[in-house]
Amino acid sequence: WEDKALTWTGSPEDLDGMVWGIDGRFMITPTIGFQTGWEYSSSSVDQSYLDWVDGDGRDITHRTRQTLNEVNGLFIFRPLTRSPLRPYIGAGAGWLFWDIQESGRFIDFADPQDPQIFSTTYSATGSTLSALAIAGVDIRVSRGASFFVEGRYRWADANLGGAFSGLGFGTEFDGYQISGGFSFDF
C-alpha cells in the first residue's frame, strides 16, 4: 500500500471486513488447552488514479478484491477455572490462503507522452505461514455455555506472484481482529 498510496485512492483499512470462522478448543488441563480453527473473509474496494482522468474527465477506476482463508492452531492459557469470567491468552501459528484480484481500467505509461488506458484483470493466489496472538474472556452463562469476546493479532506477509510477478510487489496480511460469539463445552 505504500506504493499504491502514491498513485491511487484508498488505504489498507478499506479492505477491512467481516470475518467468519469456527474454533474448537480442547482443554488438556483445567488451565492449558489447544485451540484449532478456520477463518474466512472477503472484501473489496474501488480505487481511482489520484492525478489522472480519462479523456471525458471520468476517474480511471479498478476494483481490488481480497479473499483470505486461514487454518490455525494455538496454545491457550486460562488461569481462572471456577470464575464466571474466565480470561485467557494464547499464541500459535496458521496457514493463510489468499487471493487478490484487481479488475478494471489502468494506464500503460510505456509512452510517457501518450499513456494509454486499458481494461484488464490482474490476479494472484498463494499461501503463507502466519503467527497469531490472542487474548479474550469467556463469560459463563451456564455450566456448559458461555459468550466470549476476543482480540487477535496476525503477522503474515507474502510476495505476490501470478499477474503481479516481476513487479516486486509484496503484501502484508498483518492486523487486528476483534470477535465475539458463543462457546459450548462438550
Side-chain angles (χ1 to χ4, degrees):
W1 282 97
E2 293 167 0
D3 294 333
K4 289 173 91 56
L6 301 174
T7 308
W8 290 294
T9 60
S11 70
E13 290 78 22
D14 293 335
L15 289 173
D16 287 350
M18 185 70 76
V19 176
W20 300 96
I22 188 166
D23 292 317
R25 184 179 304 161
F26 312 97
M27 296 307 290
I28 301 164
T29 71
T31 58
I32 297 173
F34 178 74
Q35 179 172 308
T36 184
W38 164 81
E39 295 180 354
Y40 168 84
S41 67
S42 183
S43 55
S44 63
V45 61
D46 290 335
Q47 297 179 286
S48 301
Y49 282 88
L50 290 171
D51 299 324
W52 296 85
V53 293
D54 66 14
D56 296 324
R58 296 180 306 218
D59 288 335
I60 302 167
T61 303
H62 69 276
R63 174 165 286 186
T64 300
R65 183 184 52 80
Q66 173 181 279
T67 302
L68 305 175
N69 275 287
E70 182 180 45
V71 292
N72 55 57
L74 303 108
F75 286 100
I76 302 295
F77 176 64
R78 186 173 63 189
L80 303 178
T81 58
R82 300 197 191 283
S83 171
L85 295 175
R86 300 179 296 177
Y88 59 91
I89 58 172
W95 199 255
L96 180 69
F97 299 88
W98 52 268
D99 177 66
I100 296 177
Q101 184 179 82
E102 293 187 342
S103 182
R105 300 190 316 153
F106 299 88
I107 301 174
D108 180 357
F109 291 102
D111 180 356
Q113 302 302 318
D114 188 24
Q116 298 297 307
I117 299 171
F118 65 99
S119 295
T120 194
T121 297
Y122 296 105
S123 64
T125 60
S127 63
T128 189
L129 187 63
S130 63
L132 299 161
I134 67 171
V137 63
D138 286 325
I139 305 159
R140 189 181 295 188
V141 294
S142 73
R143 182 167 162 77
S146 59
F147 293 104
F148 72 90
V149 178
E150 180 180 280
R152 294 185 181 205
Y153 192 84
R154 173 179 45 225
W155 296 269
D157 60 7
N159 289 322
L160 296 180
F164 301 98
S165 292
L167 299 176
F169 290 143
T171 189
E172 293 180 358
F173 300 107
D174 299 352
Y176 292 99
Q177 174 184 321
I178 297 179
S179 59
F182 301 100
S183 175
F184 301 99
D185 296 335
F186 295 102

